[in-house]
Amino acid sequence: MASLFLGSLRSLSILVLAFHTYYSQASLENGDRIKSATFLSPKFVLGPGSVENRYYRNIDFPRGHIALKSFNAEVIDEAGNPVPLHETYLHHWVVARYYQRLDVADTDNNDELQVRQSDHLFAGNSGICQANVLRQYFGLGSETRRTATHVPDPYGIEIGNPAEIPAGYEERWLINVHAIDTRGAEDKLGCTECRCDLYNITVDEYGRPLRPDYKGGLYCCYDHTQCKVRPGFEGIRRSLYLRYTVKWIDWDSSIIPVKIFIFDVTDTGKRVNGSTGMDPTSGCQVEYEVEACSTTGVTSNGCIDVRKTSLTMPTGGDVIYGVAHQHTGGVGSTLYGEDGRVICTSVPTYGDGAEAGNEAGYIVGMSTCYPKPGSVKIANGENLILESKYSNAQKHTGVMGLFYILVADRTLKHTTSLASLVHVHESMEPSIQAWDIIVLLGLTITLGVAAAVHSWLKKGNADGYQPIRV
């Protein structure tokens, strides 16, 4: 029996070693599958107080039928050095997909693509605000350096599928960069919140008068506008770029596709004539104002402004990622299911230094949600509640309350095969959990074998047979 036990231990060691070797190889193979490329946006030039808000079409981007795994970006100077937010504030960047008709030139101007059957087709996300707003695949702001964007295995954002590209068109990408140079600014926060009085703006970029109660926001800090700088301040104009890194893998049948949904706390859900077009006076306004609690009165929440809206999810599935987008003053955002359960809560990280990625007083990151596959589900047609909270110890203009989620359109299937077991647990955090499961499984198998052999030995003795000894 002692020799049998020692043999079982040897078997266990071999089994565990085999699992460990296979697990390591699986990790290496998966790592080798991931491709990465870093690109630069077209150059833009900013001086103290100036604004860049342009759309660049047909940007460099991975091609082919692939699954996007992450997209990260930051503003750099000509030497490749990261530029801190207290010098150039990255209000936002967005990346969107479109189809360009091959026999029509893709003109480069500062107007966002219009959906015209004759030359362009916009390939937006899965909703729900896509009437000229929030149609992007990726988009962040000041939080870009410290916000996770990776899509966990075995999921991916599918692009480049030949079956989805209209005949005679080519898949292309555009990027919108909205950056504000605040060097020497009279009021840095006011410039980043696009206060109209600091920009001396009374009409929008198309020359239309602003409504009298509009105090600040995107309509006052469009391309080539100028925020007030301190008298006598001099600063050089400098060339900047948005440096972006894309990671992807080649598409195959093992990848589970995900859909991108973007919600807006200003969305009232009203549509024009039942279409996807939005009522210009309601729904998906993208930005809103937060009044100071000194003027509105302190509520039971203290000096915290709470904005909520109800949204209807067109199609459901498993939530595999979630993150909010807020501006300075934001204290967090939560997406709830219709039964009150928390789908995801995302809170900001504020910097406390001077270096890029840790700028004091600025949101430098947003927490993200990566639920265990299959643990957080949204039903088709479910009514969701989006809540966005801001400190209103002071007034804020042009703030945002957006929420991004990725939803898998089919459930991850669990099998008992070795390959699938390694694949599932490969992405578990911390990774030691996978090792524990493997060891436990190996021990269970070995003990089971030992028990079976012991039973067979007893049976053999009873029947008059003697076991073969080595």
Side-chain angles (χ1 to χ4, degrees), residues 382-442:
E382 183 173 353
N383 291 321
L384 309 178
I385 300 296
L386 176 58
E387 177 183 79
S388 179
K389 294 182 178 180
Y390 274 81
S391 167
N392 60 346
Q394 67 181 93
K395 180 182 176 70
H396 295 284
T397 62
V399 304
M400 294 185 180
L402 309 182
F403 214 103
Y404 293 68
I405 62 172
L406 297 180
V407 177
D409 58 6
R410 64 185 174 93
T411 303
L412 177 62
K413 295 181 179 179
H414 297 276
T415 69
T416 56
S417 69
L418 173 62
S420 64
L421 176 67
V422 172
H423 182 64
V424 170
H425 290 293
E426 175 188 353
S427 61
M428 290 181 66
E429 293 184 3
S431 60
I432 193 67
Q433 293 177 0
W435 179 245
D436 291 341
I437 292 172
I438 291 170
V439 171
L440 180 60
L441 179 60

Side-chain angles (χ1 to χ4, degrees), residues 213-244:
D213 62 340
Y214 189 79
K215 303 301 180 183
L218 292 168
Y219 293 136
C220 288
C221 58
Y222 44 88
D223 197 43
H224 292 158
T225 52
Q226 177 72 36
C227 195
K228 288 183 180 179
V229 297
R230 298 190 301 271
F233 180 85
E234 294 183 4
I236 62 170
R237 291 178 61 80
R238 57 183 181 180
S239 299
L240 304 174
Y241 304 85
L242 187 76
R243 178 169 62 192
Y244 56 101

Side-chain angles (χ1 to χ4, degrees), residues 263-266 286 288 325-326 386 388 390 399-403:
F263 306 120
D264 178 6
V265 78
T266 69
V286 181
Y288 64 100
H325 170 64
Q326 291 187 313
L386 176 58
S388 179
Y390 274 81
V399 304
M400 294 185 180
L402 309 182
F403 214 103

Side-chain angles (χ1 to χ4, degrees), residues 126-442:
S126 295
I128 54 178
C129 297
Q130 296 201 80
N132 301 319
V133 295
L134 304 182
R135 294 180 290 188
Q136 65 266 24
Y137 267 50
F138 300 97
L140 292 172
S142 67
E143 73 274 23
T144 186
R145 290 186 176 103
R146 292 172 59 179
T147 300
T149 65
H150 72 276
V151 182
D153 293 334
Y155 307 98
I157 300 171
E158 183 182 11
I159 65 168
N161 186 347
E164 296 179 354
I165 301 175
Y169 288 79
E170 178 182 65
E171 181 181 87
R172 295 183 182 179
W173 294 81
L174 68 81
I175 194 165
N176 168 224
V177 182
H178 188 187
I180 303 170
D181 192 315
T182 60
R183 290 175 295 161
E186 191 175 276
D187 182 342
K188 282 183 181 285
L189 179 61
C191 285
T192 62
E193 292 190 339
C194 302
R195 271 180 36 201
C196 300
D197 60 327
L198 292 173
Y199 285 86
N200 194 28
I201 294 294
T202 58
V203 297
D204 67 14
E205 59 185 313
Y206 303 107
R208 298 171 298 197
L210 300 177
R211 65 178 192 270
D213 62 340
Y214 189 79
K215 303 301 180 183
L218 292 168
Y219 293 136
C220 288
C221 58
Y222 44 88
D223 197 43
H224 292 158
T225 52
Q226 177 72 36
C227 195
K228 288 183 180 179
V229 297
R230 298 190 301 271
F233 180 85
E234 294 183 4
I236 62 170
R237 291 178 61 80
R238 57 183 181 180
S239 299
L240 304 174
Y241 304 85
L242 187 76
R243 178 169 62 192
Y244 56 101
T245 299
V246 189
K247 294 185 178 181
W248 73 96
I249 57 177
D250 293 331
W251 187 264
D252 64 51
S253 59
S254 69
I255 302 168
I256 299 178
V258 295
K259 295 179 180 179
I260 303 169
F261 291 92
I262 304 178
F263 306 120
D264 178 6
V265 78
T266 69
D267 182 8
T268 62
K270 294 181 180 179
R271 304 297 192 266
V272 178
N273 297 325
S275 71
T276 57
M278 304 304 294
D279 181 342
T281 63
S282 65
C284 293
Q285 296 297 295
V286 181
E287 59 181 9
Y288 64 100
E289 289 189 358
V290 172
E291 294 294 337
C293 62
S294 60
T295 58
T296 59
V298 179
T299 67
S300 58
N301 297 313
C303 279
I304 298 295
D305 179 86
V306 180
R307 182 71 62 99
K308 292 184 180 182
T309 192
S310 177
L311 308 161
T312 301
M313 187 73 168
T315 59
D318 292 345
V319 178
I320 62 106
Y321 172 83
V323 68
H325 170 64
Q326 291 187 313
H327 289 185
T328 302
V331 295
S333 184
T334 299
L335 184 66
Y336 298 93
E338 65 183 17
D339 59 357
R341 73 191 186 284
V342 173
I343 293 173
C344 177
T345 293
S346 179
V347 297
T349 296
Y350 283 86
D352 57 8
E355 68 276 18
N358 189 37
E359 300 91 335
Y362 294 87
I363 292 180
V364 296
M366 294 293 298
S367 68
T368 54
C369 296
Y370 285 96
K372 179 182 177 181
S375 64
V376 178
K377 297 178 179 290
I378 298 176
N380 294 340
E382 183 173 353
N383 291 321
L384 309 178
I385 300 296
L386 176 58
E387 177 183 79
S388 179
K389 294 182 178 180
Y390 274 81
S391 167
N392 60 346
Q394 67 181 93
K395 180 182 176 70
H396 295 284
T397 62
V399 304
M400 294 185 180
L402 309 182
F403 214 103
Y404 293 68
I405 62 172
L406 297 180
V407 177
D409 58 6
R410 64 185 174 93
T411 303
L412 177 62
K413 295 181 179 179
H414 297 276
T415 69
T416 56
S417 69
L418 173 62
S420 64
L421 176 67
V422 172
H423 182 64
V424 170
H425 290 293
E426 175 188 353
S427 61
M428 290 181 66
E429 293 184 3
S431 60
I432 193 67
Q433 293 177 0
W435 179 245
D436 291 341
I437 292 172
I438 291 170
V439 171
L440 180 60
L441 179 60

Side-chain angles (χ1 to χ4, degrees), residues 86-105:
H86 51 75
E87 293 181 7
T88 299
Y89 180 73
L90 186 55
H91 187 280
H92 71 261
W93 58 263
V94 297
V95 175
R97 182 172 67 143
Y98 68 101
Y99 301 125
Q100 168 69 35
R101 209 173 84 180
L102 294 175
D103 59 351
V104 175

Side-chain angles (χ1 to χ4, degrees), residues 44-61:
F44 54 94
V45 181
L46 289 178
S50 62
V51 177
E52 148 84 9
N53 189 17
R54 298 185 65 83
Y55 293 86
Y56 300 104
R57 302 180 185 179
N58 198 21
I59 61 170
D60 292 326
F61 207 83

